[in-house]
Amino acid sequence: MSNRVTRRTVLGTAVASVIGHNVASLAYAVSEGAALKKSLIGVPNRETLEAHKAAGFEGIESHEWDIDPDRAAEMKKIADQLEMKIHSVMRGWTNFNAPDQAVVEKDIASVERSILAAAAFGADVVLLVPCRVSDKDMAIPAPWEFDIEFDERTGYVKRVVAGDNSRYVDYIKAHNHAIDTSRRAVEKLIPVAERNKVIIALENVWNNLWVKPKIFAHFVASFASPWVQAYYDIGNHVRYAPPEEWLRALGKLIVRIHVKDFLLNPDGKGGKFVPIREGSVNWPSVRRVIDEIGYRGWMTIEGSGELSLTERSHRLDLIIAGK
């Protein structure tokens, strides 16, 4: 029997085990009892770090990932001098579902570089979006139409809307292909992550894949590894399900949180990103659920660039205070 078949046979048990796994027990990860910490995204040079610190932030998520480790180590020294923490690296989009294996291998190598950069920065997380599919290539349900059913053993999608799914056959096929190819790619990266003590934090930002909380949690947990966890973005998922539902589904799998807001249209169909505390997110409720799931760690604002650094810091203070 192949390793792949063996994995599917035991997947249900593995998922249950990993969902119960507390990453906070790892010495290098988020610690229980620690306060929520404030962060922004940027290039961690002296000018940026000084400006962020002056505005009241405690750390930064590096938008720069394709960087020589020696240069990253120099940036870490600057951050240390300023008592700022470079806590994660945003690798972002990859193409693990590409038909050309050379493209996949190139992207795997790029994630390896981002992991090495993260280690040199002193960060313990790399944000990774494994792949995406486009509605230009096939019919994909609108966000409010999704009603996903999937196989709890394999993670494969069986339907994406209630009723007749014939229109979405190609999408279901593409989704299941993405599950397989992404899993193979991430599994190749786990040894690199383990050697460097850097967690691969998966995100599914508007990539038309794993768009509901339960299936995304299942996919992340299916790796059965403390080195593969979830990066949850509060605003990115509002149009698919309430943030509270995402937080509860992902629970202890969440190793980092992005703070973003999204304003739904009056009919709940579609909307737009807006500065934090100006959209449809019920921040006091979200804050209570963050406590409920036991998350302690970095809260990193992504976006809200219309606001000054000081105003972003103030609004994040209010969110953390449960207001």
Side-chain angles (χ1 to χ4, degrees), residues 75 79 83 87 98 128 141 151 154 194-195 218 226 243 253 280 301 308 315 322:
M75 291 177 165
E83 298 183 328
H87 65 84
L128 173 63
D151 187 321
T154 64
E194 184 172 8
R195 284 196 302 272
H218 185 281
L253 292 168
S280 299
I301 296 176
S308 68
R315 294 191 186 193

Side-chain angles (χ1 to χ4, degrees), residues 41-321:
I41 299 170
V43 176
N45 53 37
R46 182 177 292 278
E47 180 182 8
T48 300
L49 289 166
E50 287 179 343
H52 287 193
K53 182 177 177 68
F57 293 95
E58 302 159 274
I60 190 171
E61 177 171 292
S62 177
H63 201 271
E64 189 165 354
W65 60 267
D66 194 2
I67 181 174
D68 185 272
D70 290 339
R71 174 60 180 148
E74 291 174 6
M75 291 177 165
K76 179 183 184 301
K77 289 180 181 178
I78 295 171
D80 290 345
Q81 290 169 5
L82 295 170
E83 298 183 328
M84 292 283 280
K85 174 69 174 176
I86 307 171
H87 65 84
S88 60
V89 171
M90 180 186 282
R91 170 57 188 85
W93 301 99
T94 54
N95 300 283
F96 291 160
N97 60 340
D100 185 345
Q101 188 59 29
V103 171
V104 176
E105 294 299 329
K106 181 179 179 181
D107 275 2
I108 290 174
S110 77
V111 178
E112 290 182 358
R113 291 198 303 276
S114 73
I115 290 172
L116 295 177
F121 278 132
D124 57 14
V125 166
V126 165
L127 183 158
L128 173 63
V129 183
C131 56
R132 53 185 157 181
V133 295
S134 173
D135 56 9
K136 295 179 181 178
D137 301 324
M138 66 196 78
I140 296 177
W144 54 90
E145 294 176 328
F146 275 99
D147 184 5
I148 294 178
E149 181 182 347
F150 66 95
D151 187 321
E152 293 278 358
R153 185 174 60 91
T154 64
Y156 285 163
V157 175
K158 297 195 288 187
R159 78 171 195 208
V160 292
V161 295
D164 184 9
N165 278 246
S166 59
R167 184 184 177 202
Y168 302 114
V169 168
D170 289 343
Y171 172 59
I172 292 172
K173 181 179 179 181
H175 202 305
N176 292 337
H177 173 72
I179 288 170
D180 283 342
T181 58
S182 296
R183 184 174 286 125
R184 286 196 295 268
V186 172
E187 284 175 342
K188 288 183 179 181
L189 289 162
I190 289 174
V192 183
E194 184 172 8
R195 284 196 302 272
N196 289 279
K197 302 295 185 287
V198 174
I199 295 169
I200 299 167
L202 301 178
E203 188 181 10
N204 58 331
V205 45
W206 284 33
N207 58 347
N208 291 314
L209 298 167
W210 306 289
V211 301
K212 286 293 190 178
K214 189 176 180 181
I215 190 172
F216 184 52
H218 185 281
F219 177 68
V220 176
S222 71
F223 291 94
S225 171
W227 303 104
V228 181
Q229 301 296 326
Y231 205 128
Y232 173 60
D233 187 306
I234 294 170
N236 277 346
H237 301 82
V238 171
R239 62 181 190 163
Y240 294 104
E244 295 89 338
E245 185 177 333
W246 285 96
L247 286 163
R248 290 189 176 103
L250 291 167
K252 293 296 184 182
L253 292 168
I254 298 174
V255 72
R256 289 291 190 275
I257 289 178
H258 271 164
V259 179
K260 193 185 295 178
D261 213 335
F262 189 84
L263 181 63
L264 290 166
N265 292 332
D267 62 1
K269 298 179 179 180
K272 62 181 180 179
F273 288 109
V274 294
I276 53 174
R277 293 177 57 81
E278 295 181 16
S280 299
V281 175
N282 182 334
W283 290 105
S285 175
V286 165
R287 181 65 180 87
R288 286 192 294 272
V289 178
I290 287 173
D291 271 348
E292 178 186 310
I293 65 172
Y295 178 80
R296 300 290 185 271
W298 292 97
M299 301 283 285
T300 300
I301 296 176
E302 183 181 13
S304 295
E306 309 93 322
L307 307 174
S308 68
L309 288 175
T310 302
E311 180 61 20
R312 276 178 272 177
S313 179
H314 171 63
R315 294 191 186 193
L316 185 51
D317 282 337
L318 292 174
I319 289 169
I320 290 173

Side-chain angles (χ1 to χ4, degrees), residues 1-9:
M1 182 178 291
S2 69
N3 289 338
R4 181 65 180 145
V5 174
T6 300
R7 169 177 285 277
R8 289 183 182 177
T9 302

Side-chain angles (χ1 to χ4, degrees), residues 26-43:
L26 301 175
Y28 47 83
V30 181
S31 59
E32 286 293 343
L36 295 175
K37 299 176 184 178
K38 296 166 56 182
S39 167
L40 282 171
I41 299 170
V43 176

